[in-house]
Amino acid sequence: MIGYADIGDYSAVTFVPYDRPVRAAFVGLGRIYDLNVRGYIDNPDVEVVALVDPSEERRAQRQADWPDAATFASAAELAASGLEVDTAEVLLPVVLHADGVSELLDFGWHVNLQKPMCNSLPEAQRMLDAAKANDRILRVMDNYLFYEPLHRLRAVAESGDLGGVVGYHMKMVGTGNGGWDVPWSSFEWQIDQMKRGRGIMVFDDGWHKLTTAIWLFGPVREVRAWIGNLAVGPGIDLETPATLVWEHENGIRGVWDITIAMDMYLRSDYYTNDERWEITGSKGFARVNRCTGRGIQQPSLEVYADGEMRGYHALDDDWGSSFRDSGRYWLRWLHTGEGPLLWSGEEAVDVLRFALAAYESSAKGGIGVDPALLT
Ligand SMILES: NC(=O)c1ccc[n+]([C@@H]2O[C@H](COP(=O)([O-])OP(=O)(O)OC[C@H]3O[C@@H](n4cnc5c(N)ncnc54)[C@H](O)[C@@H]3O)[C@@H](O)[C@H]2O)c1
């Protein structure tokens, strides 16, 4: 596991850090549980005491991982049972985040929430208010911030080895073939999200890219976007092709292009998502060649400067490891209360604003939108 103490903002905490294993409940036991659970396995910082999901099948399946944990069909049943819980690992469909997270915070539990935080600014405020009122921590996890090649990319940009940063580019190609199975039930609520104008490309998966942008170069002052629509079935609309451009407060500009290659096979242990990040400096560049999938079979990070190319062959570039490290980081953090949360609820609101600014820009013909001015 790599160290992250050097990055991000620090959160002041008022709760007393734990000096024993924290008692955790998983709330939502669907597809992404398979990766989030990696932070909990063989981890002395935590004791998994409860598993919550209305699906009996899911409860029975996940009980095999945690034979001593109690199972419940709802978080309210768990709270009423009297079982002591310190923190919840929340893996719910996005539309349930605002109500679900507020309820869990009101039970007095800390929350580690899967992204996206929620669909709207009022929902986000409700969640932040609930955390404050209960003096509990709301973390909105983003495993990409724990993907070692991206962590190194950031370090290279900060080292000055590339000279001054003059711009950067992100690319994302969703492909139709390859990867792991995603059950229809995991996709159904995404279709509802599409109907709400919160699509899978820009909003759901895109959330990660917007988070990495803010994490790399800080606050964003202007966003311009041209978001297309690809209808791939009744009610199934993918926001492609899409191009988002933005400027950070420090003047650095980023651009992100999103496409779908429906007939392309992509080797992947997870979702079929071919991704790259490329930072250009005044005297060189650094590029992360892949993340979720295993598209480009070169070193996952390459750095060019002064006429020489350096390839990083020994990074932990299994995307699944980023879930393990994000979870471990959180569970350790609860024992120290020190260092950045990676990512706090407040920082997640900045990501939400970024996404909403892109939608507003696109709806208005690509005009520049300041995310801070959205209401
Ligand atoms: N970090 C990533 O790369 C990544 C990848 C995939 C999904 N996600 C996020 O993870 C979250 C879950 O996604 P998923 O793909 O696992 O969805 P999923 O549909 O596979 O799983 C959701 C689970 O929640 C359960 N559930 C529904 N209502 C509930 C309730 N009231 N209480 C408890 N459980 C309830 C469902 O029965 C289901 O088992 C979403 O926020 C999604 O955006 C993140």
Side-chain angles (χ1 to χ4, degrees), residues 27-51:
V27 180
L29 306 172
R31 176 72 274 195
I32 209 61
Y33 164 95
D34 287 290
L35 293 179
N36 278 71
V37 76
R38 293 190 186 189
Y40 289 72
I41 292 169
D42 295 331
N43 186 345
D45 283 337
V46 68
E47 184 190 353
V48 175
V49 295
L51 303 170

Side-chain angles (χ1 to χ4, degrees), residues 36-357:
N36 278 71
V37 76
R38 293 190 186 189
Y40 289 72
I41 292 169
D42 295 331
N43 186 345
D45 283 337
V46 68
E47 184 190 353
V48 175
V49 295
L51 303 170
V52 180
D53 198 301
S55 159
E56 198 177 341
E57 192 184 342
R58 281 297 192 199
R59 293 198 302 273
Q61 179 191 16
R62 306 316 190 181
Q63 179 93 76
D65 296 336
W66 310 103
D68 296 334
T71 63
F72 300 89
S74 72
E77 281 179 29
L78 164 56
S81 75
L83 190 68
E84 298 278 349
V85 171
D86 303 308
T87 180
E89 180 80 5
V90 182
L91 313 176
L92 292 170
V94 179
V95 72
L96 301 180
H97 283 188
D99 286 347
V101 166
S102 302
E103 180 188 33
L104 302 175
L105 290 164
D106 284 345
F107 290 147
W109 307 339
H110 300 294
V111 168
N112 189 39
L113 173 67
Q114 258 288 4
K115 49 48 66 181
M117 182 182 192
C118 55
N119 286 333
S120 71
L121 292 171
E123 283 183 341
Q125 193 56 52
R126 193 143 54 87
M127 296 157 85
L128 294 181
D129 290 347
K132 193 171 174 195
N134 293 291
D135 191 17
R136 297 292 85 180
I137 303 296
L138 168 59
R139 179 184 191 236
V140 182
M141 64 152 289
D142 199 306
N143 56 293
Y144 278 55
L145 305 186
F146 292 82
Y147 184 60
E148 194 178 6
L150 283 173
H151 180 72
R152 287 297 185 93
L153 176 78
R154 190 181 193 265
V156 168
E158 284 181 354
S159 71
D161 289 354
L162 306 176
V165 173
V166 293
Y168 69 110
H169 174 227
M170 300 193 283
K171 182 173 179 64
M172 171 174 159
V173 185
T175 85
N177 295 317
W180 66 0
D181 290 333
V182 179
W184 181 250
S185 57
S186 309
F187 198 56
E188 255 173 342
W189 60 263
Q190 291 282 9
I191 296 174
D192 287 340
Q193 281 286 92
M194 292 170 196
K195 291 178 188 146
R196 292 185 187 91
R198 302 284 181 266
I200 206 164
M201 306 303 285
V202 172
F203 194 74
D204 192 275
D205 203 323
W207 186 277
H208 296 296
K209 281 69 182 188
L210 304 180
T211 304
T212 60
I214 294 175
W215 171 71
L216 283 166
F217 297 117
V220 170
R221 67 181 170 206
E222 185 171 331
V223 183
R224 293 168 188 255
W226 189 7
I227 301 173
N229 187 62
L230 178 69
V232 293
I236 307 178
D237 295 297
L238 302 177
E239 304 157 305
T240 65
T243 310
L244 276 64
V245 189
W246 58 88
E247 189 169 80
H248 293 267
E249 281 176 9
N250 62 10
I252 293 175
R253 284 193 188 176
V255 54
W256 173 31
D257 77 85
I258 313 173
T259 45
I260 293 280
M262 202 51 88
D263 303 321
M264 184 163 104
Y265 170 76
L266 178 71
R267 183 182 161 207
S268 177
D269 298 325
Y270 314 106
Y271 304 95
T272 50
N273 192 355
D274 193 22
E275 300 153 292
R276 326 201 210 306
W277 285 252
E278 180 168 331
I279 295 174
T280 308
S282 59
K283 63 174 195 164
F285 67 84
R287 188 177 61 229
V288 168
N289 284 316
R290 61 176 182 274
C291 185
T292 311
R294 295 182 182 270
I296 296 180
Q297 299 286 310
Q298 284 164 227
S300 50
L301 173 65
E302 293 179 301
V303 179
Y304 172 86
D306 300 323
E308 288 182 4
M309 186 71 127
R310 182 168 184 182
Y312 287 74
H313 290 262
L315 302 181
D316 185 351
D317 52 24
D318 176 353
W319 185 64
S321 297
S322 63
F323 288 82
R324 177 199 64 204
D325 289 352
S326 173
R328 285 186 186 169
Y329 181 88
W330 161 244
L331 295 166
R332 186 91 286 271
W333 191 92
L334 287 172
H335 289 81
T336 65
E338 290 170 8
L341 262 177
L342 295 169
W343 204 233
S344 69
E346 288 79 6
E347 288 167 314
V349 176
D350 292 336
V351 181
L352 177 62
R353 285 184 172 278
F354 194 168
L356 297 182

